[in-house]
């Protein structure tokens, strides 16, 4: 291999580029900016500001041209997998296609160059959009009211649990516990703990479902809430959900719904109708806003009327009667839990989600759920003979496999994931949910065609064969990436979290 | 449906393979009684063409920097955004990737975060920083939580100049924990006052904003001495990140946590979000830092690469014992800020900060010499300051709006004791002529 490398240059392989850190491109005196001429009297900061208030230099920032910057980040981008390159089947992440129209409208100056603290009358278009989105999310979920403020699903959870706490406290009740099934996302127990609650884990039944008996056994008047993800992270609809909600309600508790997997339910059933009292929506999952390499997200929260007095402020209110027409941001909510976001939420994401819902309409949203579920079941049908399926039945939006059939080969879930990369696929979520050893959690979403699913299934089947024929090949994968496996232990033992210049003494 | 590729023939073929007769049968797990027996009551699907027109029309009902001269800041700042940022950030490989859990095929995102971490360390004068927080307000709240963990104390002292929204978010985040939050007085000159009376041996941290909400540059050094004398940590939050290019790095003079909002670095104002919070601290407090971290390592062939690291602090591993419940960072906004900092660079960022200072000094001098207007505070400022009016603030702002000027923030809901006062921000977008028009419009309301 090495003898085929070029003598000079920085390509890893033809047009695939190695790319140093931007700081290593830096050359004294080079610049990438242009500023307008000063049209006011110049000032000397050291004269104007107190002694010691002015810093000397920004010497670790790079000095590079615009060309350098554009090439640098364009090259870096080519090192990423992405939905627009192919199936990205991360379970519970709903990596569906992100429509380009949504990005385009969010960048219109009336949205992108508008300010959150402008007077209400100068942002009527935005407030109207938000009011519409709140109503749409309420209708989809069967909730009564929605706040768009939380910046992400985890912040939505925080808001939801805070409203639950405020509700109990207003009734003069001090409750100390939150119940969380063992298959839940880590954010659920973390959000409860951040609210000062102790967390009790409830075991999933042998069929992968949460059972009323398990909830009944844990449910006391010390329990503020049960947090439940439906469909669960095993891709299963919680069949006993209505009964479970009754049990929690009977002891005065409320039920929090983690909306991470809402995509499977659009137009099929509504959490609010099942007994859920409060839930968050992950707009970057169900409603197609881009994942952006790890955010920004947006995590609106829907509540039943009993929790409406506790919504974060401000709330958006449509004027009526003598008040005239239009929309206002209303801060008058005396029992509100307060503010969670510096402004009114991640508006740019709200514009995208609104546009998505308007693009699909009621039939389109239901079609998302149906095709997402069809795709997950189709993959399961194609893979069932080749991988262990811990809960083998019809699933919702995702299916969970494991590496159990391959134990004798020494090949693990991690190896399968890394070998998938050689086949040109982003791996599924691995080792989650924690209740399945060696879990491989696949969520294809509705965006994938049957041909795309076939190719992906064939790759997984080929890897299962390779595990038996040549396990070493799988265990040392990936082989065709610009980086092979990275040493995560070393990264954690000796953390290097920033670039350091080589300064001469 | 253009986003869903399935034909009816595909659906039939797939159902056969699964071994069911209908789509309905796939949902056998959802009990019949729970099925929604009607269509969702939502507007019908709309074509891309008509929807574009609808969104265009909605957007045109909002004022923006394109329709008005803009002097409203208060935590969201109107700065010029170089063209290269949108071009680069729009690349699908960045926008449609997720959290870099698989480092072999996520080096683009990981390296960009590593570069961000390096630049935030440089700007704050601290040793370690994370891969961003939701926004400046939640970063400040997370800093308070972190200080409580580090010190095992529960009292938080908020300086009077902390952005009222940040203070609100701190209160909300801490509301479920037995924390005590107290707020200092404001001195005549706009800076913090009476800090020494409030800091005690149970104080986890003092939170100061630099420059503060009123635009004043705080004397951080004295405040830090007071806090450290009681073993409290010092959190400095920065709502206008461009000020870091000009003012002494808070970490260099003893701040333990520096956090804030980096929207000024090339991120659109976008009606308040998504923006990008940052958070930096000392090496010794690293294990208490919330959020994702990217670290350098090598692959099996010894080549440099980057990975998410120290994740045992995080919720997906540690669950209820995690340092925070935060999961996502603000990847795409962080990328905008990183590209911005590269373009502006060592020299440009400083020049831009000085340009902002010069505009502000000009505006302040015009306010000083104009009858009916005065500066509320004498403390030095960066690009934002409070103007006191002889006339009614709301009326003056409305009159300015009629002239196409969004003149600033009416401080009546935030600081009624200031009387008729507005917070004015002058960035590089403000021309000398526009500043002159602003002053005239505001002075027109003089009694």
């Amino acid at each position: 291999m090495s003898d085929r490398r070029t003598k000079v240059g920085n390509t890893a392989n033809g047009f695939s580029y190695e790319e140093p850190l931007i700081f290593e491109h830096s050359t004294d005196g080079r610049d990438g900016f242009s500023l307008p001429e000063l049209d006011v009297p110049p000032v000397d900061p050291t004269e104007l500001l107190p002694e010691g208030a002015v810093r000397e230099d920004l010497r670790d920032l790079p000095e590079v041209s615009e060309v350098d910057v554009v090439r640098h980040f364009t090259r870096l981008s080519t090192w990423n997998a992405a939905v627009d390159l192919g199936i990205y089947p991360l379970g519970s992440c709903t990596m569906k296609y992100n429509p380009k129209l949504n990005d385009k409208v969010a960048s219109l100056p009336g949205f992108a160059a508008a300010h959150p603290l402008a007077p209400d009358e100068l942002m009527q278009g935005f407030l109207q959009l938000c009011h519409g989105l709140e109503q749409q999310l309420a209708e989809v979920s069967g909730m009564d009211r929605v706040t768009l403020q939380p910046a992400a699903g985890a912040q939505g959870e925080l808001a939801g649990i805070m409203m639950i706490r405020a509700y109990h406290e207003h009734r003069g009740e001090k409750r100390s516990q939150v119940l969380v099934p063992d298959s839940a996302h880590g954010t659920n127990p973390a959000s409860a703990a951040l609210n000062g609650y102790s967390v009790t884990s409830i075991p999933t039944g042998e069929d992968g479902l949460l059972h009323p008996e398990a909830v009944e056994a844990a449910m006391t008047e010390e329990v503020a809430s049960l947090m439940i993800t439906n469909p669960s992270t095993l891709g299963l609809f919680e069949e006993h959900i209505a009964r479970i909600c009754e049990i929690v309600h009977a002891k005065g508790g409320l039920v929090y719904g983690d909306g991470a997997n809402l995509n499977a339910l659009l137009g099929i059933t509504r959490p609010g109708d099942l007994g859920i009292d409060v839930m968050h929506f992950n707009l970057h999952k169900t409603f197609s806003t881009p994942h952006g390499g790890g955010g920004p997200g947006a995590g609106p929260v829907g509540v039943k009327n009993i929790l409406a007095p506790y919504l974060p402020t401000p709330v958006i209110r449509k004027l009526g009667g003598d008040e005239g027409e239009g929309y206002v941001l209303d801060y008058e909510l005396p029992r509100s839990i307060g503010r969670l976001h510096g402004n009114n939420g991640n508006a740019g994401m709200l514009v995208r989600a609104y546009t998505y819902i308007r693009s699909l309409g009621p039939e389109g949203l239901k079609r998302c759920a149906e095709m997402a579920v069809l795709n997950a079941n189709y993959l399961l049908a194609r893979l069932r003979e080749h991988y262990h399926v811990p809960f083998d039945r019809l699933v919702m939006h995702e299916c969970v496999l494991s590496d159990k059939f391959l134990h004798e080969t020494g090949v693990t879930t991690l190896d399968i994931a890394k070998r998938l990369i050689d086949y040109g696929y982003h791996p599924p979520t691995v080792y989650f949910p924690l209740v399945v050893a060696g879990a491989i959690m696949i969520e294809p979403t509705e965006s994938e065609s049957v041909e795309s699913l076939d190719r992906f299934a064939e790759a997984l089947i080929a890897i299962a064969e390779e595990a038996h024929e040549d396990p070493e090949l799988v265990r040392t994968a990936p082989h065709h990436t610009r980086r092979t496996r990275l040493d995560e232990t070393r990264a954690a033992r000796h953390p290097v979290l920033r670039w350091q210049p080589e300064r001469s003494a | 449906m253009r986003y869903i590729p399935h034909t009816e023939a595909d659906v039939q073929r797939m159902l056969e393979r699964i071994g069911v007769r209908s789509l309905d049968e796939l949902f056998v797990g959802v009990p019949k009684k729970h099925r929604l027996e009607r269509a969702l009551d939502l507007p019908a699907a709309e074509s891309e063409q008509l929807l574009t027109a609808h969104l265009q029309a909605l957007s045109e009902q909002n004022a923006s920097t394109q329709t008005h001269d803009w002097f409203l800041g208060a935590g969201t700042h109107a700065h010029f955004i170089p063209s290269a940022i949108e071009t680069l950030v729009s690349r699908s490989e960045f926008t449609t990737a997720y959290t870099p859990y698989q480092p072999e095929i996520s080096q683009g995102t990981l390296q960009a975060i590593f570069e961000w971490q390096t630049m935030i360390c440089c700007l704050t004068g601290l040793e370690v920083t994370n891969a961003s927080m939701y926004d400046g307000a939640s970063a400040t709240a997370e800093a308070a939580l972190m200080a409580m963990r580090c010190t095992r104390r529960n009292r938080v002292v908020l300086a009077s100049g902390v952005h009222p929204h940040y203070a609100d978010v701190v209160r909300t985040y801490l509301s479920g924990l037995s924390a005590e939050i107290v707020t200092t007085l404001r001195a005549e000159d706009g800076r913090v006052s009476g800090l020494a009376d409030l800091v005690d041996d149970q104080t986890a941290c003092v939170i100061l904003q630099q420059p503060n909400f009123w635009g004043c540059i705080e004397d951080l050094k004295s405040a830090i001495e007071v806090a450290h004398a009681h073993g409290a940590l010092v959190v400095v939050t920065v709502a206008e990140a461009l000020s870091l290019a000009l003012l002494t790095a808070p970490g260099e003079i003893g701040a333990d946590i520096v956090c804030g909002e980096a929207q000024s670095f090339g991120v659109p104002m976008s009606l308040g979000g998504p923006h990008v919070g940052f958070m930096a601290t000392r090496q010794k407090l690293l294990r208490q830092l919330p959020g994702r971290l990217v670290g350098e390592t090598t692959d099996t062939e010894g080549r440099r690469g980057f990975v998410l690291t120290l994740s045992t602090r995080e919720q997906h591993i540690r669950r209820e014992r995690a340092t925070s419940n935060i999961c996502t960072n603000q990847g795409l906004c962080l990328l905008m800020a990183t590209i911005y900092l590269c373009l502006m660079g060592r020299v440009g960022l400083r020049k831009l900060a000085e340009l902002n200072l010069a505009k502000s000094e000009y505006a302040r001098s015009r306010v000083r010499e104009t009858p009916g207007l005065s500066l509320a505070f004498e403390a030095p400022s960066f690009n934002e300051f409070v103007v006191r009016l002889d006339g009614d603030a709301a009326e003056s702002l409305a009159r300015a709006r009629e002239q196409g000027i969004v003149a600033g923030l009416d401080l009546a809901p935030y600081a009624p004791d200031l009387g008729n006062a507005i917070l004015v921000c002058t960035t590089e977008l403000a021309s000398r002529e526009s500043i002159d028009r602003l002053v005239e419009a505001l002075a027109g309301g003089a009694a």
Side-chain angles (χ1 to χ4, degrees):
Chain A
M1 232 356 232
S2 57
D3 56 337
R4 293 194 199 163
R5 292 237 169 112
T6 51
K7 283 190 175 177
V8 295
N10 65 347
T11 67
N13 179 16
F15 255 76
S16 87
Y17 292 92
E18 285 290 325
E19 182 58 19
L21 291 163
I22 192 73
F23 313 102
E24 294 159 348
H25 280 295
S26 185
T27 301
D28 287 355
R30 205 164 269 167
D31 66 60
F33 64 90
S34 70
L35 295 176
E37 282 292 313
L38 194 61
D39 60 356
V40 295
V43 294
D44 179 350
T46 53
E47 278 179 22
L48 205 57
L49 303 180
E51 200 185 335
V54 180
R55 74 187 291 159
E56 278 183 8
D57 192 7
L58 296 165
R59 67 175 174 177
D60 288 351
L61 293 192
E63 293 181 78
V64 284
S65 71
E66 183 174 319
V67 185
D68 293 330
V69 174
V70 169
R71 287 196 178 147
H72 175 71
F73 287 98
T74 302
R75 288 177 178 183
L76 283 188
S77 77
T78 67
W79 289 68
N80 272 1
V83 173
D84 284 1
L85 285 167
I87 182 172
Y88 203 121
L90 273 177
S92 249
C93 295
T94 316
M95 301 296 288
K96 63 168 70 178
Y97 171 67
N98 307 144
K100 305 311 156 195
L101 165 65
N102 304 354
D103 296 332
K104 180 179 158 186
V105 295
S107 69
L108 290 168
F111 296 125
H115 193 286
L117 294 176
D120 294 342
E121 63 262 34
L122 294 189
M123 54 164 128
Q124 285 296 303
F126 173 61
L127 295 179
Q128 184 186 333
L129 181 149
C130 289
H131 189 261
L133 180 59
E134 285 182 359
Q135 290 189 318
Q136 291 158 7
L137 293 176
E139 167 63 10
V140 164
S141 62
M143 307 309 276
D144 298 318
R145 294 285 300 278
V146 172
T147 171
L148 302 175
Q149 198 180 109
Q155 203 181 48
E157 288 179 25
L158 194 60
I161 296 293
M162 280 176 178
M163 284 189 264
I164 289 173
R165 199 187 65 231
Y167 163 87
H168 289 305
E169 285 177 358
H170 185 70
R171 292 156 55 97
E173 292 183 13
K174 278 268 178 206
R175 295 181 176 231
S176 60
Q177 279 179 46
V178 167
L179 306 181
V180 180
D182 55 9
S183 60
H185 296 109
T187 48
N188 290 179
S191 298
L194 190 47
N195 260 291
Y197 285 113
S198 67
V199 176
T200 306
S201 181
I202 317 182
T204 306
E206 283 185 6
D207 56 358
L209 297 175
L210 189 63
H211 285 269
E213 301 76 44
V215 177
E216 184 104 59
M219 190 65 209
T220 68
E221 286 176 359
E222 272 302 300
V223 174
S225 173
L226 164 74
M227 300 181 82
I228 189 165
T229 308
N230 189 26
S232 73
T233 58
L234 292 165
L236 305 179
F237 187 86
E238 294 288 5
E239 291 177 13
H240 313 293
I241 180 77
R243 176 76 194 115
I244 288 168
C245 290
E246 282 169 17
I247 292 167
V248 174
H249 290 154
K251 290 265 168 66
L254 297 179
V255 182
Y256 184 93
D258 181 329
N261 297 337
L262 182 65
N263 202 44
L265 304 184
L266 298 172
I268 305 292
T269 184
R270 307 194 307 167
D273 297 342
L274 304 174
I276 302 290
D277 300 295
V278 47
M279 69 174 288
H280 75 261
F281 308 83
N282 298 95
L283 297 189
H284 51 288
K285 297 180 182 180
T286 317
F287 299 101
S288 84
T289 72
H291 281 72
V301 173
V303 297
K304 290 283 177 61
N305 276 329
I306 51 164
L307 290 175
Y310 311 101
L311 286 167
T313 46
V315 295
I316 295 157
R317 193 162 62 79
K318 186 176 185 179
L319 299 175
D322 298 343
E323 296 173 313
E325 286 183 5
Y327 303 84
V328 291
L329 287 171
D330 191 348
Y331 289 81
E332 298 302 318
L333 203 65
R335 283 191 258 151
S336 165
I337 58 165
R339 177 186 275 284
L340 281 143
H341 191 281
N343 294 300
N344 312 318
N346 283 349
M349 300 296 120
L350 305 179
V351 173
R352 287 173 172 87
Y354 173 87
T355 306
Y356 181 70
I357 293 171
R358 293 296 311 269
S359 295
L360 269 72
E363 289 85 17
L365 287 178
K366 187 174 183 188
R367 185 80 172 168
C368 286
E370 290 175 339
M371 295 304 108
V373 171
L374 179 69
N375 279 359
N377 281 291
Y378 181 75
L379 271 183
L380 181 61
R382 291 224 46 183
L383 294 169
R384 178 177 287 123
E385 291 163 26
H386 308 274
Y387 286 87
H388 173 242
V389 182
F391 302 102
D392 195 1
R393 45 184 286 184
L394 286 173
V395 296
M396 298 292 280
H397 61 297
E398 63 195 2
C399 59
V400 177
L401 314 175
S402 93
D403 57 1
K404 196 170 171 184
F405 286 176
L406 302 177
H407 278 176
E408 66 199 71
T409 67
V411 166
T412 64
T413 288
L414 182 68
D415 305 324
I416 297 161
K418 297 303 183 193
R419 183 64 177 152
L420 261 176
I421 294 171
D422 283 335
Y423 283 82
Y425 294 105
H426 193 286
T429 296
V430 291
Y431 299 106
F432 186 85
L434 307 174
V435 291
V436 173
I440 302 170
M441 185 197 205
I442 306 174
E443 181 181 9
T445 83
E446 70 278 9
S447 308
E448 299 307 318
S449 67
V450 65
E451 294 84 2
S452 165
L453 298 176
D454 281 334
R455 288 190 294 267
F456 179 69
E458 282 153 18
L460 268 171
I461 293 166
I463 292 167
E465 288 166 6
E466 286 175 344
H468 290 286
E469 292 158 6
D470 186 359
E472 196 55 22
L473 176 72
V474 183
R475 278 203 299 266
T476 52
H479 302 285
H480 304 317
T481 46
R482 282 182 259 176
R483 288 291 176 273
T484 55
R485 282 194 209 191
L486 289 140
D487 188 344
E488 301 197 12
T489 309
R490 172 184 160 145
R493 284 223 181 112
H494 309 284
V496 177
L497 305 173
R498 58 157 296 178
W499 169 81
Q500 290 286 357
E502 290 170 24
R503 292 195 176 108
S504 47
Chain B
M1 179 66 239
R2 63 189 184 282
Y3 305 149
I4 305 176
H6 303 67
T7 65
E8 284 316 308
D10 293 338
V11 171
Q12 283 313 314
R13 181 152 75 90
M14 294 168 79
L15 288 172
E16 274 167 37
R17 178 69 196 237
I18 295 166
V20 296
R21 276 160 301 185
S22 67
L23 286 171
D24 197 53
E25 215 176 304
L26 285 177
F27 290 89
V28 66
V30 183
K32 275 274 180 219
K33 61 181 175 186
H34 296 328
R35 305 275 186 93
L36 190 65
E37 297 297 343
R38 61 171 177 84
L40 289 169
D41 183 15
L42 296 172
E46 191 58 274
S47 67
E48 180 164 358
Q49 180 186 328
L50 294 186
L51 205 45
T52 305
H54 169 61
L55 269 298
Q56 177 80 40
L58 283 177
S59 76
E60 285 169 2
Q61 293 177 52
N62 304 323
S64 73
T65 55
Q66 310 257 306
T67 60
H68 288 68
D69 285 340
W70 208 269
F71 298 95
L72 171 57
T76 303
H77 300 274
H79 288 290
F80 182 77
I81 301 177
S83 316
I85 295 177
E86 190 178 342
T87 303
L88 291 169
V89 167
S90 302
R91 286 189 66 94
S92 286
E93 299 90 334
F94 288 129
T95 53
T96 73
Y98 198 27
T99 305
Y101 293 126
Q102 298 290 341
E104 298 87 348
I105 47 173
S106 309
Q107 286 297 306
T109 293
L110 287 161
Q111 183 170 329
I113 295 174
F114 187 80
E115 292 171 355
W116 150 271
Q117 289 176 179
T118 303
M119 291 195 270
I120 293 298
C121 286
C122 160
L123 288 167
T124 57
L126 283 167
E127 291 140 9
V128 289
T129 185
N130 67 18
S132 77
M133 309 299 285
Y134 302 136
D135 64 359
S138 70
T140 308
E142 290 275 10
L145 289 168
M146 177 173 155
M148 288 165 65
R149 283 194 302 275
C150 292
T151 58
R152 297 172 190 267
R153 299 176 179 184
N154 67 352
R155 185 177 165 93
V156 172
V157 178
L158 279 170
S160 52
V162 171
H163 193 304
H165 292 183
Y166 289 21
D168 286 346
V169 174
V170 170
R171 288 190 194 96
T172 308
Y173 264 68
L174 268 52
S175 63
L177 311 169
S178 49
E180 181 193 7
I181 303 170
V182 293
T183 306
T184 72
L185 300 170
R186 184 181 63 231
E188 276 284 296
D189 69 355
R191 292 186 277 197
V192 64
S193 166
L195 195 59
D197 300 333
L198 293 178
V199 182
D200 62 15
D201 292 343
Q202 273 313 304
T203 302
C205 65
V206 172
I207 305 180
L208 297 130
Q209 182 172 316
Q210 181 75 319
N212 74 20
F213 181 68
W214 323 107
C216 304
I217 296 173
E218 298 275 9
D219 175 8
L220 289 183
K221 246 182 178 159
S222 318
I224 289 167
E225 277 169 25
V226 170
H228 282 177
H230 290 275
L233 299 185
V234 174
V235 175
V236 174
T237 186
V238 181
E240 167 49 297
L242 182 60
S243 67
L244 289 166
L246 185 68
L247 302 180
T248 303
E252 273 175 26
I253 48 174
D256 303 286
I257 302 172
V258 180
C259 60
E261 173 59 64
Q263 174 267 327
S264 288
F265 296 154
V267 180
M269 296 198 293
S270 190
L271 287 149
H275 293 166
V276 52
F278 62 90
M279 192 165 176
T281 190
R282 308 196 169 284
Q283 182 77 38
K284 67 177 183 193
L285 303 180
L286 171 62
R287 304 274 162 177
Q288 294 298 337
L289 194 63
R292 292 174 178 150
L293 288 167
V294 170
E296 182 182 317
T297 187
T298 50
D299 73 358
T300 56
E301 295 183 22
R303 295 172 295 195
R304 178 171 67 186
F306 304 92
V307 293
L308 290 175
T309 192
L310 299 173
S311 55
T312 50
R313 300 163 300 111
E314 293 182 67
Q315 48 76 27
H316 63 282
I317 307 284
R318 192 56 66 88
R319 298 177 80 84
E320 66 269 24
R321 291 184 302 281
T323 52
S324 167
N325 75 332
I326 193 167
C327 180
T328 53
N329 56 347
Q330 298 288 103
L332 215 52
C333 301
L334 164 167
L335 184 65
M336 293 175 193
T338 304
I339 297 169
Y340 182 88
L341 290 171
C342 292
L343 288 168
M344 299 306 294
R346 176 181 183 175
V347 176
L349 199 71
R350 177 56 171 256
K351 280 193 173 165
L352 180 65
E354 291 183 7
L355 181 57
N356 274 248
L357 182 70
K359 298 277 188 183
S360 167
E361 274 312 299
Y362 175 72
R364 280 162 57 110
S365 70
R366 290 295 325 274
V367 167
R368 272 195 207 97
E369 71 193 22
T370 304
L373 304 182
S374 59
L375 293 174
F377 302 119
E378 277 312 312
S381 65
F382 173 54
N383 65 4
E384 209 159 10
F385 52 91
V386 176
V387 177
R388 202 175 250 145
L389 301 98
D390 290 352
D392 184 84
E395 280 174 23
S396 297
L397 286 167
R399 194 174 47 250
R401 279 206 293 283
E402 281 165 23
Q403 298 171 36
I405 303 167
V406 173
L409 184 71
D410 188 343
L411 290 174
Y414 301 99
D417 63 302
L418 288 176
N420 286 297
I422 61 173
L423 184 62
V424 173
C425 179
T426 52
T427 71
E428 71 279 7
L429 293 188
S431 66
R432 180 181 190 135
E433 290 74 32
S434 72
I435 294 171
D436 291 341
R437 281 196 300 273
L438 166 78
V439 171
E440 280 160 31
L442 291 177

